[in-house]
Amino acid sequence: AQKVTQAQTEISVVEKEDVTLDCVYETRDTTYYLFWYKQPPSGELVFLIRRNSFDEQNEISGRYSWNFQKSTSSFNFTITASQVVDSAVYFCALSEENNNDMRFGAGTRLTVKP
Amino acid sequence: DAGITQSPRHKVTETGTPVTLRCHQTENHRYMYWYRQDPGHGLRLIHYSYGVKDTDKGEVSDGYSVSRSKTEDFLLTLESATSSQTSVYFCAISEPPGAKIPTDTQYFGPGTRLTVL
């Protein structure tokens, strides 16, 4: 079965620092999808990005960027110039084609201090 | 906003009592899911539905049942709640192949915090 590992349980940075959240995945499928979700202190889950296994282009959205490397089975998330509002738990997730059982990592709690 | 509501938002109950959580969506999504969130485990799939009266089990389905008698409602039932079912429960939706948004992307409701004493 597919598996997602987020080895960093908690990260604490000072505002304006860059921070990278690691995500390593396991799957036997050649077609799969990777996701990042944000869970702020209010508790809702916010979709951030979806990437399919055939698209290894890195993506940038404002201060957020994602690095997908199939060679190392990693899909890392970088926040540049972090802000207090970035404080949240971030989840990486994996979905295999034709499999509705999306698997989540345990999450990384990011605290950005002023 | 995927138009998903969950009720109740908070519930405290006692061991052995039945509990039903409701997920309601207003945009005619075909696929619906129930997850539980626990520290150290992220989110884990309990059951999902791919249409009215069509449901299937997820990773942690023991002790839970679901029903979907109409498109907009997906009910999660704990027949006899146990303390190990204390958790935050999230409902999610996605679209089937051919839909305008990626079919594999799931959007989540606000969650229900359930405490079983």
Side-chain angles (χ1 to χ4, degrees):
Chain A
Q2 69 269 42
K3 181 180 177 182
V4 176
T5 302
Q6 294 180 255
Q8 303 152 309
T9 305
E10 295 191 24
I11 300 175
S12 181
V13 299
V14 177
E15 207 169 20
K16 297 184 182 178
E17 284 186 22
D18 299 346
V19 57
T20 295
L21 309 182
D22 297 333
C23 173
V24 174
Y25 62 91
E26 296 176 28
T27 177
R28 294 180 180 179
D29 275 21
T30 56
T31 303
Y32 52 90
Y33 306 90
L34 295 162
F35 304 84
W36 277 94
Y37 287 86
K38 175 182 180 179
Q39 187 175 44
S42 52
E44 73 271 25
L45 283 156
V46 179
F47 165 73
L48 294 178
I49 189 171
R50 165 190 181 271
R51 176 62 85 223
N52 76 54
S53 54
F54 299 107
D55 182 3
E56 284 193 76
Q57 265 195 324
N58 291 333
E59 180 152 344
I60 298 174
S61 176
R63 296 183 297 106
Y64 295 173
S65 62
W66 291 269
N67 183 302
F68 176 29
Q69 291 195 335
K70 289 177 74 171
S71 61
T72 56
S73 297
S74 65
F75 186 44
N76 296 337
F77 174 29
T78 297
I79 302 175
T80 303
S82 60
Q83 300 177 1
V84 172
V85 292
D86 295 327
S87 296
V89 180
Y90 290 88
F91 292 99
C92 181
L94 167 68
S95 175
E96 295 172 336
E97 189 177 37
N98 300 319
N99 183 350
N100 289 285
D101 190 356
M102 180 184 284
R103 294 298 172 99
F104 285 76
T108 297
R109 180 178 299 279
L110 173 66
T111 301
V112 181
K113 298 178 181 178
Chain B
D1 184 1
I4 308 170
T5 57
Q6 293 183 230
S7 58
R9 295 293 314 280
H10 302 271
K11 186 172 182 66
V12 179
T13 191
E14 293 189 352
T15 298
T17 60
V19 176
T20 295
L21 308 182
R22 179 186 184 226
C23 177
H24 179 76
Q25 52 115 341
T26 58
E27 298 181 358
N28 209 34
H29 300 290
R30 180 177 163 191
Y31 284 67
M32 299 182 75
Y33 309 79
W34 276 108
Y35 288 85
R36 59 178 290 173
Q37 181 181 10
D38 304 290
H41 292 279
L43 281 81
R44 292 178 292 175
L45 182 66
I46 305 171
H47 283 280
Y48 67 94
S49 169
Y50 46 96
V52 173
K53 298 186 179 179
D54 291 324
T55 64
D56 205 348
K57 296 179 179 180
E59 182 186 3
V60 292
S61 60
D62 287 350
Y64 301 95
S65 62
V66 291
S67 65
R68 191 159 178 211
S69 59
K70 46 187 178 178
T71 300
E72 56 267 35
D73 288 326
F74 191 32
L75 304 181
L76 177 70
T77 297
L78 292 65
E79 300 290 348
S80 179
T82 67
S83 57
S84 64
Q85 293 175 313
T86 292
S87 187
V88 180
Y89 291 86
F90 284 96
C91 175
I93 60 92
S94 68
E95 292 294 354
K100 291 182 181 179
I101 63 174
T103 64
D104 39 85
T105 302
Q106 295 185 20
Y107 297 88
F108 289 82
T112 294
R113 183 173 296 275
L114 175 67
T115 302
V116 184
L117 302 175

